[in-house]
Amino acid sequence: MEEDVLRLYSAGRLSTRDACRRLGLRDGSVLLMALAERGLPVPRPAPHVLEAQAEDFVRLWKSLA
């Protein structure tokens, strides 16, 4: 069960909050340590999320000029 939850989280199919709740973990930092202990990668944001973050950064950067 624990391995399944970690694999779902690593694949980006489960949120940090849900994974911590299912595993009874204190927070995301403990979850990241559990991933590392099993050699699983940290989930990456979806491409559209990364694009939105980049657009936000450009807007903020330009507002400082």
Side-chain angles (χ1 to χ4, degrees), residues 6 9 16 25 27-37 40 42-43:
L6 289 174
Y9 175 70
T16 300
L25 301 177
D27 57 31
S29 65
V30 179
L31 178 58
L32 292 177
M33 290 186 336
L35 284 178
E37 288 172 359
L40 294 169
V42 175

Side-chain angles (χ1 to χ4, degrees), residues 45-59:
H48 72 278
V49 173
L50 291 176
E51 185 65 32
Q53 289 174 344
E55 290 171 4
D56 288 344
F57 173 79
V58 169
R59 257 192 312 280

Side-chain angles (χ1 to χ4, degrees), residues 2 4 6 8 11 13-15 21 23 30 35 41 54 65:
E2 180 177 340
D4 293 339
L6 289 174
L8 287 172
R13 297 179 57 205
L14 196 61
S15 71
R21 182 183 50 77
L23 296 171
V30 179
L35 284 178

